[in-house]
């Protein structure tokens, strides 16, 4: 899986190759506003440089006032392990242990080891510790990542007891795993008969990582980024695929895995990170007692040397899988980019910041030189994946290019890129653009995003700290910005010289072209079949019997209920029985309903605006997502689209529009359909926020066809590229679309039908009809007659907001008088449907099965929510992931839909059977009281996630769900019984009259066709 790090510039930051376990818990978790305490000052006082603590020596301690934190860096005397502690007034405490892992081939050893360590340890000898801990914890984030040159095990939680539980489990699994061969075979790869009842049946490769990476090799974007790193840095570990190439994974042995652990998973090769308001002393003692005292110092020799600079550039052509949405009539297109090695090492914070700014200025937005030279050239559809600065490897990489260009245009593309670099080196960047980037940096320091502590950990570990750079210096962002400003003031050509140094005069660059071919996957399939045939021929009858016995032993082990009694757990009595009430007020401002939340926001103002789409004509509804994409990117009022882009960067932190669809929380026949605008700014920029909104709402222009075509092509390309990494979302949307009006509309806005529409529009030469739809939408959506607003701002700024808001409301259209934001669909009749969306270019599938149930206010909604966790953790994980080999699977309760899903699934037919078997298992009541309690804990973990300053009041604003309604729901969860779970499984999933929506996205399947599936080509 690819993950974009926080970086210095979160809106165009370093790109990092990171693979991880399936996303399970990653919630919004900003630093919480708490009463004044002395955690920062106490930390500085207690840990002076040179002081000793539990076998550690403090090497550095610094206050970082711009981030309201104190940072302490320590080294363990005996083992050399480093520990960075960030003390901050944040209850969402985080932990991570970073290990530099350097694979020397593409067998996936680091990736498979990351999976295998969490399958049991000395202290916790149960099977699959990671997934067993999920329902026993209140973690706001819990996962594990494998990068090109590192492995990271992070978690975060609001609960101190839970923190210590997870710390104990993670430490034991990382440093004292069992690493049994059976776990290696399950998580990595194994050879097994297709049928465990037939010793003579065909052989197949199975394994969770093996199947995960088969899916990954269908992602063109992932492949291109991977090839950039391989070809720019070919002499080191980056020449290999740390995730594992399915062609090479079967060469990995269990012994090689255990040897890799001995060398790389040692405290002398480890860096520990803790964050939040819990005391450092306790962390140090626990880590020292549990791990560090049991090791002696070694020399792991995992340093990655800097790549020697080249004396002349290179060119490379590679192949990849075809686009799964492509048709035979499509013209042949490729992806091509020029990539540079730009830093001798990503360890200097100021140079990292400087190059982040340079690369942002080069590529971001319609005023940047590469947007104008490449995107507006019409040569391609969008920037090549990974365009920008990658600070994750030992040497930084900058790449820029285009997707979907004609193969004969690659030389021209290279020439344009080189000439743009020359021009920028001569002319520099406009000062207003540099100031706009510095404004974005200021906002980034104040704006709280998802899981602040974990994001900080990811940012630091994926660049500076992993390669022994100045980790605390990287936190001093205000100081770094001041140094940057000083350098620019001292030398107005400072940035031009950087462009000349790293690009114009730099011969270490590669022009990479990736060509999709049908033969790419065909050759890989033939290679796999040949390998299986060779293995089959080498087996004696005794070997086959032994192989079958191994497969049966694994199946039996997977069917056994693992004894998890050794694992620590949060108890229901640890859960607060009361919701945290939100202090909100609602009033009418110039006839418009405005919800206020007057709480600390760190000097930022957050704005939300719901505008009804009930007046939109039916034939224009599918165009609403495109309208949302364009409305903040086209000219408006007296501004060109370039001027609007500059205004947005210079004055706001962000402004976006999206489609919003949700059933009423009491009456699910009543559906709200709206456009949701979100924006935020520094408090001193409040007037600009409403001025820009006024310009957009009053007079958007859809006349510039050339610019619109550029935006449409980029959006269509982005949607197509999301199919393979997010196929389960498309399958879930399709499954629900036949069951409810909001399911149908949600699929229209974000499903395969939207992908098809965007492809059609992107291929069209004449946009006249599209323009007409967009103008009609503007007249409906931007009329605020049926709108409501929500504003989160500090009390001192209330008057400033209201004055600017009044000016905005008085100047925008308000012509409708008789509209209700909700639409009744009482006559909607759902229908059962089974559909297969197939593509020859896919090797793995995504399956989903959905049923419509009850709205939030219904007694059974909480029962179904608990059931979803029960089925995921106690049945579906075992059947779909462990036994079926899919990368992930489960069930979710969202709004009034109960939906099953599988992800990167080699056996979708079996998964569909498992969905039904899961409900049957629940209907039999074949689960323990502990299972029920853990399912409740999982639901409370979801409900009790920290709320961002930007999102306070959203439940009330968007859904009308009051604190009282949330308390009723909370009480119902506590009181869920076995009979409740049995009952809802029978009535809502298994009953004869239930309508079922079933969808599979994947390769062609005769078995599904024969079983009544309607087949459509993607």
């Amino acid at each position: 899986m690819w993950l974009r790090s926080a970086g210095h510039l979160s809106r165009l930051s370093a790109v990092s190759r990171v693979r991880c376990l399936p996303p399970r818990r990653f919630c919004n978790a900003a630093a919480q506003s708490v009463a004044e305490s002395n955690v920062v000052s106490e930390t500085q006082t207690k840990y002076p440089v040179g002081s000793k603590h539990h076998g550690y020596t403090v090497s550095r301690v610094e206050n970082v006032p711009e981030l309201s934190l104190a940072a302490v860096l320590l080294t363990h005397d005996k083992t050399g392990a480093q520990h960075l502690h960030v003390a901050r007034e944040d209850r969402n405490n985080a932990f991570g242990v970073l290990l530099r892992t350097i694979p020397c081939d593409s067998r996936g050893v680091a990736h498979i080891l990351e999976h295998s360590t969490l399958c049991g340890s000395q202290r916790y000898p149960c099977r699959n510790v990671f997934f067993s801990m999920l329902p026993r914890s209140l973690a706001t984030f819990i996962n594990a990542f494998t990068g090109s040159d590192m492995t990271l095990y992070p978690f975060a939680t609001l609960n101190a007891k839970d923190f210590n539980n997870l710390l104990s489990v993670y430490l034991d699994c990382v440093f004292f795993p069992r690493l049994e061969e059976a776990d290696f075979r399950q998580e990595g790869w194994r050879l097994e008969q297709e049928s465990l009842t037939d010793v003579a049946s065909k052989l197949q490769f199975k394994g969770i990582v093996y199947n995960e990476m088969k899916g990954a090799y269908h992602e063109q974007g992932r492949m291109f980024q991977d090839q950039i790193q391989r070809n720019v840095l070919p002499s080191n570990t980056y020449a290999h695929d740390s995730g594992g190439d399915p062609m090479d994974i079967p060469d990995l042995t269990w012994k090689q895995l255990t040897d890799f652990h001995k060398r790389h998973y040692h405290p002398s090769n480890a860096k520990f990170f803790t964050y939040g308001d819990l005391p450092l002393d306790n962390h140090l003692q626990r880590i020292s007692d549990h791990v560090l005292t049991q090791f002696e110092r070694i020399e792991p020799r995992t340093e990655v040397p800097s790549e020697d600079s080249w004396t002349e550039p290179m060119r490379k052509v590679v192949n990849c899988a075809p686009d799964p949405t492509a048709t035979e009539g499509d013209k042949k297109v490729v992806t091509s980019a020029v990539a540079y090695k730009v830093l001798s090492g990503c360890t200097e914070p100021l140079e990292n910041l400087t190059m982040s700014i340079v690369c942002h200025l080069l590529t971001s937005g319609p005023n940047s030189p590469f947007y104008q030279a490449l995107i507006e050239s019409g040569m391609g559809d969008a920037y090549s994946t990974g365009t920008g600065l990658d600070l994750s490897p030992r040497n930084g990489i900058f790449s820029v290019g285009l997707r979907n260009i004609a193969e004969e245009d690659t030389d021209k593309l290279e020439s344009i890129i080189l000439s743009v670099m020359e021009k920028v080196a001569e002319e520099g960047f406009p000062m207003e653009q540099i100031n706009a980037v510095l404004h974005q940096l200021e906002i980034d320091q104040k704006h709280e995003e998802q899981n602040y502590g974990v994001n900080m950990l990811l940012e630091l570990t994926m660049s500076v700290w992993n390669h022994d750079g100045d980790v605390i210096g990287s936190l001093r962002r205000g100081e770094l910005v001041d140094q940057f400003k000083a350098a620019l003031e001292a030398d107005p050509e400072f940035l031009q010289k950087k462009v000349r140094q790293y690009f114009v005069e730099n011969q270490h660059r590669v022009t990479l072209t990736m060509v999709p071919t049908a033969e790419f996957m065909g050759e890989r399939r033939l290679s796999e079949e040949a390998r299986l045939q060779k293995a089959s021929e080498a087996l004696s009858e005794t070997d086959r019997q032994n192989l079958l016995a191994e497969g049966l032993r694994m199946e039996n082990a997977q069917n056994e209920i693992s004894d998890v009694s050794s694992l620590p757990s949060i108890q229901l009595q640890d859960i607060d029985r009361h919701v945290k009430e939100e202090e909100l007020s609602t009033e009418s401002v110039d006839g418009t309903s405005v919800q206020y939340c007057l709480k600390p926001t760190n000097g930022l103002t957050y704005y939300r605006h719901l505008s009804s789409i009930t007046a939109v004509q039916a034939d224009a509804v599918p165009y609403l997502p495109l309208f949302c994409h364009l409305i903040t990117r086209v000219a408006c009022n007296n501004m060109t689209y370039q001027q609007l882009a500059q205004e947005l960067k210079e004055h706001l932190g962000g402004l976006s529009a999206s489609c919003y669809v949700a059933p009423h929380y009491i009456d699910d026949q009543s559906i709200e359909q709206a456009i949701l605008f979100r924006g935020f700014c520094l408090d001193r920029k409040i007037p600009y926020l409403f001025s820009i909104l006024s310009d957009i709402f009053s007079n958007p222009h859809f006349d510039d066809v050339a610019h619109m075509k550029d935006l449409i092509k980029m959006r269509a390309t982005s949607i197509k590229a999301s199919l393979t990494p997010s196929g389960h979302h498309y399958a879930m949307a399709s499954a629900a679309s036949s069951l409810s009006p909001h399911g149908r509309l949600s699929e229209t806005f974000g499903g395969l039908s939207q992908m098809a529409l965007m492809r059609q529009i992107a291929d069209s030469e004449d946009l006249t009809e599209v323009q007409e739809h967009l103008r009609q939408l503007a007249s409906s959506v931007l009329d605020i007659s049926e709108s409501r607003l929500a504003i989160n701002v500090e009390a001192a700024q209330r008057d400033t907001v209201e004055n600017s808001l009044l000016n905005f409301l008085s100047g925008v259209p308000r012509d409708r008088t008789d509209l209700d934001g909700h639409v009744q669909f009482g006559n909607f009749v759902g229908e059962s449907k089974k559909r297969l969306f197939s593509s020859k270019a896919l090797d793995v599938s995504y399956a989903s099965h959905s049923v419509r149930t009850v709205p939030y206010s219904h007694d059974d909604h909480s029962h179904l929510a608990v059931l979803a966790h029960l089925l995921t953790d106690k049945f579906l994980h075992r059947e779909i992931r462990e036994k079926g080999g899919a990368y992930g699977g489960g069930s979710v309760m969202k709004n009034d839909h109960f939906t099953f899903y599988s992800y990167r699934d080699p056996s979708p037919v079996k998964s569909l059977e498992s969905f039904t078997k899961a409900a049957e298992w629940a209907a039999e009541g074949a689960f323990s009281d502990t299972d029920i309690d853990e399912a409740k804990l999982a639901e409370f973990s979801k409900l009790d996630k920290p709320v961002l300053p930007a999102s306070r009041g959203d439940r009330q604003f968007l859904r009308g769900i009051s604190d009282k309604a949330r308390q009723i729901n909370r009480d119902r969860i506590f009181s869920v019984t076995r009979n409740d779970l049995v009952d809802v499984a029978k009535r809502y999933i298994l009953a004869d009259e239930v309508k079922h929506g079933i969808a599979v996205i994947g390769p062609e399947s005769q078995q599904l066709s024969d079983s009544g599936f309607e087949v459509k080509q993607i």
Side-chain angles (χ1 to χ4, degrees), residues 220-244:
Q220 289 186 356
R222 177 238 175 237
M223 287 283 292
F224 193 71
Q225 284 182 279
D226 186 69
Q227 288 293 338
I228 282 177
Q229 215 174 78
R230 289 187 183 204
N231 286 283
V232 176
L233 307 174
S235 302
N236 297 317
T237 188
Y238 311 111
H240 311 295
D241 189 339
S242 62

Side-chain angles (χ1 to χ4, degrees), residues 468-523:
D468 303 317
D470 183 2
V471 63
I472 290 184
S474 297
L475 291 171
R476 303 189 66 85
R477 295 166 187 170
E479 185 178 296
L480 292 172
V481 170
D482 290 342
Q483 292 173 13
F484 172 82
K485 290 178 179 178
L488 191 60
E489 185 175 352
D491 182 3
E493 295 187 355
F494 174 61
L495 295 183
Q496 291 165 254
K497 291 177 179 177
K498 293 297 180 185
V499 172
R500 185 162 296 280
Q501 172 190 352
Y502 286 117
F503 302 121
V504 176
E505 298 174 352
N506 182 6
Q507 296 301 302
H508 194 129
R509 72 172 190 266
V510 60
T511 300
L512 178 70
T513 300
M514 189 174 73
V515 182
T517 67
E519 294 76 20
F520 179 81
M521 294 311 300
E523 289 170 1

Side-chain angles (χ1 to χ4, degrees), residues 17 79 106 263 283 452 649 805 875 893 901 974 985 1013:
R17 294 195 304 178
T79 64
S106 295
R263 176 185 172 194
H283 301 331
Y452 192 92
K649 276 192 178 181
L805 177 59
F875 191 93
M893 179 66 183
Y901 69 94
F974 273 111
F1013 274 69

